Structures are given as structure tokens and as C-alpha cells.
Amino acid sequence: MMVSALAVAGCASVYNLPSNQPLTAAQPANVVGATEPVSEGDLLLALSFSGGGTRAAAFSFGVLNELDRIHFGTATLLDRIDFVSGVSGGSVTAAYYGLKRRGALADFRERFLLRNAEEGLRTEISLGNLGRALRGGVNDSQFPRWLDQNVFEGATFSAFRDNRPTIWINASDIYNRVPFIFDKTAFDALCSDIGAYKIADAVAASAAVPVAFAPIVLETFPGGCGARLPDWIERARSNPSTQPLLRSYASALGRYQDGGMKFVKLLDGGLVDNFGLSGLSIGILGAQRPFEPLGERQAARVRRLMFLVVDAGRGASGDWANRLEGPAGVDLVEAAADTAIDASVRSSYAAFSALVNDWTNKVRRWRCGLSAADRARLGLPAGWKCNDVVAFVDRIGFDRLGAPRSGLLEAIPTRLALPAEQVDMLIEGGADALRKSTAFQSFRQGL
């Protein structure tokens, strides 16, 4: 009987209609990261906010609050953030801060963190929801609508243009199995207008947990705008020796543009990169000059760079490790997903740290090779030191807080609705964890 019911339930698909608009004219080609992150003066501060539902959104919000307590000249370090990359729950904080900037501190807790973002979602276990899961996902457009109405108020990516900091929202292209970065390069490949795309839809894509949500869909418009992709994409696609991440990403963009795909299906960004570091890595790997992805003048002037990875990931959980049977059912699905995600983020963080270290050495060599004419052209001041550039990379996680506090935060579920006391524990935890970062304190002392 149940098998028959599920078979009937699986007849019609659950899906989201694409909402992206085509470009009406060709746009200038740009390279991922070519002008971003944008730094002013000799300081660059970049953040990445991991996935983890409201738990991640609150923990990363605590980091923003702490940055606002650190004065730097006439401003605070909150005002000096150049770049934020967000994944899943962390993408809500990233997008809201990018939209409101300092104003986000005033109302994000009440506007999102204390709200029940699950109020319009199907969350119960039922035969009907099981049927919807088999048809593509239990929930379709409910969450993007809720975000649009309650958090982002219809704002589109045009609100991010010419603003500092640069904001990247990260999802997963589940056909090409690569990160999808909501930026101009990807939308140029789609021949689509990112300025007209709703921020809420991008955040919903970044947080679209498989089965719980149907994929967010983008339509490609091949040949419709004459947009030209950067030369590095074709080079990366055609060279078998290209680093796999770069080649896979370039191949995906090529398929968007040449008509190899009609629709791009997006799910939770944590499936391929729960730290949101892939875009920065691609920017460095795709660079043709040693100082890229920074601009030439930026790279010549910068002295201190800080890349903070704010990690609200969960530790080991469940009691099945102490029994012969299990895991089974939901525990088995969660254990498999957590294993894949945790293994991926550990390796991606190690690779990113090594990549930044290698890139910093290249920048030093390039700076020290500048001629007197180049230094004059770039407007470098007297006393400028070519080797005075240091990059810091650090992960800010619950483990910074020690036991038992870290255990309490790790036990908070990955939901889109949490009680106020847990939200406030996470906000305070994010601030305290940043204060305990020795790399961040070294960065501050060198300013």
C-alpha cells in the first residue's frame, strides 16, 4: 500500500522556476577575482562564513560585532572589511552585512536570528513530504519568498555594485559538481543580468539542503548577449595539466555559455565548499600575473592581509559509536554527509593556506623586482619596503573556546529556528573566539 502511494506521489516533479533575466547587451569580460577583494591603503581584511543554519549565521555575526569593537584610526575594523564570502547559513549574514553594512549590527539579530525562518516550510515527517522528497525536494519556493519578504525586502545584486565590501554568495552546481559563485563572471557565462537577480534567491540556493529543498534553477541564454569570457577559461579547459579545481570550474562556465546546459541546478554551497574558499582559490590559480587577483596598485601598497575563516561546523555527535548497531535512517544520512563535508573542508583549508603562502611569496618577489620607474608610476611613498607584506590565514571555530563551552555550541542543531538563549550564546562565542585567535592578534599588532 505504502509503495503504491509513493509511486503515485512520485509522478509529478517538484521544482523551482528560474528567475534570472537575460542580458540585453554584451558586457566587458572580467576574470574571477580580477578586481576583488578591493583593498584601500595597506590593509586587506577578508572573511568567509561557513554553513550551519542559524547557528552559523549567529556565530559569524558575533565576529562582526567583535570587529566593530576594535578601533582603527577614526573607524573600526568592521568598516575596513574588504571581502566576505558566505555559504549556506553564513551566506545570510554575509549578504545582509553587504546590503546594510554597519546598519546590520542594529537589527540582524531581531530581523533574522530570532525569527523562525522555518515558519513557512514543510518540516514534519509524513507520507506526503516523503513523496515530495522523491519528486525533487520537500520545499520549493517557500524559503526564497520568506527571505525576500522578511529579510532582504526585494533587494537585488545591483545593491552590491560599487559597494565595499565585495560579497560572494556560494552555492553548488550539482551537475558539474563545482562551486557556483554568484558574481558577474558566472552570470556573464549564463548571458544573464546579475544586477537584476534577487539576493534572497542566491541565499536560498546557498542554503538549499538536498531533499529538504528542491534545487534553485538558473536558465542559460547562450549566444544571446555576445559576452566574452576571460581567456583563462579556455586555457584552463583545454589544458589537461590545469589544477583540477580551476579546470572543472572553467569547464562549467564554458558549458553555460556554449549551450551545453539549458538549466543550472543549485543546492547548498556546503556540498562542495563549506568554507567558501573556492572562489578565492580560483582567483589565485587563474591569475596570469603574480600579483593577481589584486590589482597592481593594491598589490604594491598592501602590507597586511588577513583571511578569517569563521567555522560553525558541528563536531562528532550521536551515540551509535558506542553500540554495535547503527547508524541507520536519518543518523546514517547525516553521518555520511558530515563525513564528506568535514573531509572536504579540512583539505580545502590546508590547500588554501598553502596557496596564500605561495602567492604572498610571489607578490614579494614581484614587488622587489619593480624598477624605479614602476615605483614612481605606482605612486609608492619614500621608505616603501618591497618585502613588507605578510598574509595571515586563520580558522575561527568553536574549539577556540575550550571545553565544555565548545561542546555546548556544537550541540546546537543546524536549524533555521533557534531559541534566543542559544542565539546569544553563539553571538558571544563568535566574538570570544576571534579574541582568542593568535594570528588575528598578530595581524592587529602589525597594522
Side-chain angles (χ1 to χ4, degrees), residues 14-17 120-122 132 137-149 200-201 204 212-216:
V14 176
Y15 56 85
N16 288 300
L17 293 172
L121 301 179
R122 300 180 180 91
R132 291 181 64 85
V138 176
N139 297 280
D140 41 42
S141 60
Q142 300 98 312
F143 190 46
R145 281 201 309 267
W146 187 92
L147 286 171
D148 196 45
Q149 293 168 4
D201 289 349
F213 296 95
I216 298 294

Side-chain angles (χ1 to χ4, degrees), residues 40 42-43 67 69-80 443-444 446-447:
E40 292 182 0
D42 62 357
L43 164 70
L67 289 172
R69 298 185 185 107
I70 301 170
H71 290 272
F72 183 76
T74 58
T76 71
L77 281 183
L78 181 80
D79 303 302
R80 298 305 303 270
F443 166 74
R444 286 185 59 188
L447 296 180

Side-chain angles (χ1 to χ4, degrees), residues 100-138:
K100 303 286 287 286
R101 285 173 282 183
R102 172 168 292 282
L105 296 187
D107 65 356
F108 184 64
R109 178 179 176 272
E110 289 70 26
R111 194 75 179 270
F112 176 76
L113 296 177
L114 297 183
R115 296 286 302 275
N116 178 10
E118 298 178 5
E119 61 188 358
L121 301 179
R122 300 180 180 91
T123 58
E124 70 279 3
I125 298 175
S126 67
L127 186 61
N129 280 347
L130 183 56
R132 291 181 64 85
L134 292 174
R135 281 149 42 203
V138 176

Side-chain angles (χ1 to χ4, degrees), residues 255-344:
R255 290 189 186 105
Y256 303 164
Q257 190 188 56
D258 64 19
M261 299 175 64
K262 179 59 179 171
F263 299 104
V264 181
K265 310 291 179 69
L266 304 175
L267 284 175
D268 193 308
L271 296 174
V272 296
D273 177 16
N274 203 42
F275 281 174
L277 297 174
S278 291
L280 288 169
S281 298
I282 290 167
I284 295 173
L285 292 169
Q288 299 304 301
R289 293 181 289 181
F291 54 79
E292 293 175 348
L294 292 185
E296 187 179 21
R297 188 174 297 272
Q298 292 173 298
R301 289 177 173 271
V302 70
R303 293 179 56 248
R304 296 294 178 267
L305 304 93
M306 181 81 242
F307 298 91
L308 281 173
V309 179
V310 183
D311 175 17
R314 216 171 36 167
S317 60
D319 64 350
W320 45 265
N322 295 312
R323 339 183 232 100
L324 178 61
E325 68 277 8
V330 173
D331 285 342
L332 179 60
V333 174
E334 286 186 348
D338 289 346
T339 299
I341 290 172
D342 285 0
S344 171

Side-chain angles (χ1 to χ4, degrees), residues 162-176:
D162 302 321
N163 280 350
R164 182 171 169 269
T166 296
I167 303 296
W168 279 353
I169 306 302
N170 302 268
S172 298
D173 171 348
I174 57 173
Y175 180 80
N176 291 296

